[in-house]
Amino acid sequence: MPRALCTALGASLALLAAACGKEGSPPGKGPAADRLPHYRVAQGFTLPASRTWTRAKKRGYFVVGAKEDQPYLGEKDPATGTYAGFDIEIARMMSASLGLPPHTVRFRTIASANRETALQNGQIDYYVGTYTINAGRKKLVGFAGPYYMAGQSLLVHKAERDIHGPEDLDGRRVCSAAGSTPYQRIRADYPKAVLVSYDTYSVCVDNLLTYQVDAVTTDDAILIGYAAKAPGELKVVGRPFSKEPYGIGVPRSDNALRFALNDALEAREKNGDWKKAYEATLGLSGVPAPTPPAIDRYPAS
Ligand code: GLU
């Protein structure tokens, strides 16, 4: 299919990559569903001190905010509406630890810029989607975890020779998601870069594939997935230039939920579920399971 036609069709990234990938190139691998662990549901679990948990228990399921266009992490199958990926597995294993079966979780796609509002408005019970824990966000929401450590990186065309790190972005067009820490870092530390923003990284990647921007910047964990979906076209360059500890976002006032999630994460890391989930999702990108970062048990606020 000619590239112009692909662009004109405005196909989703997955379709674009599948249709426009070099002939004979392998499709990006999805999560290995058969290798996903079954999470044991905590019996008789109660958490009456948590308003969020009490509401979810009454309803019968958790409503969890996530991403739908981040390969290996949080991806929605447009045909079935099913979500898959490492973040999705974290969300499901947390539900099991809080006493509600993992398959009952209902996911809602929430973009980077809308996460704090969604948690503050009670639109979602918790959020699992490449959500960096930092001091500014802690003033607005609570964070359990971290459950993974990522780092900001750059995605460019395979043929790009001049961009190796953020210092090479002067005068170049670089795309990131509005409201994200990578966007904020480029704006603050590399003001000579020409920053472009969209709601999602997949739109940035579409812009990169059609040569409207020179680079996409966000966490390495996210970029590796896009590179794998467009084999032969894109590459991740340089070394990560930040630390992005991924947390589970919760309503700020719900300390009971935050503490219970911290305990649940620690237990799932200990019993091997975390590692199994990683290996069946993000691990398919070729990076072996790291040791998860230490949980940040900051006091009640
Ligand atoms: N981890 C970064 C953030 O929380 C970038 C990824 C994202 O936008 O979800 O802002």
Side-chain angles (χ1 to χ4, degrees), residues 19-279:
C20 307
K22 276 202 195 116
E23 229 178 302
S25 58
K29 285 184 220 139
D34 49 328
R35 276 168 47 193
L36 289 173
H38 295 281
Y39 309 115
R40 217 171 55 81
V41 181
Q43 296 304 312
F45 181 91
T46 61
L47 196 62
S50 164
R51 279 180 56 183
T52 313
W53 182 87
T54 307
R55 193 179 52 167
K57 179 77 181 169
K58 218 176 266 167
R59 193 200 289 135
Y61 56 90
F62 283 103
V63 179
V64 176
K67 295 289 181 70
E68 67 169 38
D69 61 349
Q70 299 186 169
Y72 303 114
L73 287 158
E75 253 189 315
K76 185 177 172 180
D77 181 333
T80 61
T82 314
Y83 288 72
F86 184 56
D87 284 332
I88 302 306
E89 290 307 307
I90 295 290
R92 290 196 195 283
M93 68 176 86
M94 292 301 98
S95 171
S97 293
L98 298 175
L100 293 171
H103 63 267
T104 62
V105 173
R106 296 204 191 168
F107 290 98
R108 280 232 179 107
T109 300
I110 310 273
S112 298
N114 303 331
R115 294 183 282 213
E116 291 79 25
T117 321
L119 285 166
Q120 286 166 339
N121 293 350
Q123 263 169 276
I124 51 174
D125 297 323
Y126 54 95
Y127 186 95
V128 193
T130 62
Y131 197 8
T132 294
I133 303 172
N134 66 31
R137 289 174 178 170
K138 273 183 181 172
K139 293 185 183 140
L140 305 170
V141 300
F143 284 104
Y147 61 88
Y148 183 77
M149 186 65 79
Q152 186 169 353
S153 234
L154 295 167
L155 182 73
V156 296
H157 274 276
K158 264 259 160 81
E160 173 65 57
R161 294 275 164 269
D162 301 330
I163 299 177
H164 307 281
E167 56 288 339
D168 302 324
L169 293 172
D170 289 10
R172 307 294 300 264
R173 289 172 70 80
V174 58
C175 190
S176 198
S180 71
T181 50
Y183 175 91
Q184 285 154 6
R185 187 166 296 104
I186 297 294
R187 199 177 53 182
D189 299 350
Y190 304 93
K192 289 186 180 151
V194 182
L195 199 49
V196 176
S197 76
Y198 291 100
D199 284 349
T200 64
Y201 300 107
S202 57
V203 174
C204 282
V205 175
D206 285 345
N207 273 261
L208 178 62
L209 284 167
T210 53
Y211 295 88
Q212 294 173 70
V213 298
D214 301 305
V216 176
T217 189
T218 186
D219 306 334
D220 47 1
I222 301 173
L223 296 178
I224 286 166
Y226 291 126
K229 291 263 171 164
E233 297 221 49
L234 305 176
K235 64 182 178 187
V236 179
V237 287
R239 291 172 157 275
F241 51 96
S242 75
K243 281 209 167 7
E244 309 289 334
Y246 287 174
I248 302 175
V250 298
R252 188 171 188 266
S253 59
D254 204 334
N255 291 297
L257 179 64
R258 178 160 64 85
F259 296 155
L261 288 170
N262 280 337
D263 292 344
L265 276 173
E266 212 156 76
R268 298 285 172 183
E269 287 168 9
K270 235 185 222 151
N271 78 358
D273 282 350
W274 183 95
K275 188 161 186 257
K276 275 188 228 156
Y278 176 91
E279 283 169 350

Side-chain angles (χ1 to χ4, degrees), residues 7-29:
T7 313
L9 284 174
S12 75
L13 176 72
L15 289 173
L16 186 78
C20 307
K22 276 202 195 116
E23 229 178 302
S25 58
K29 285 184 220 139

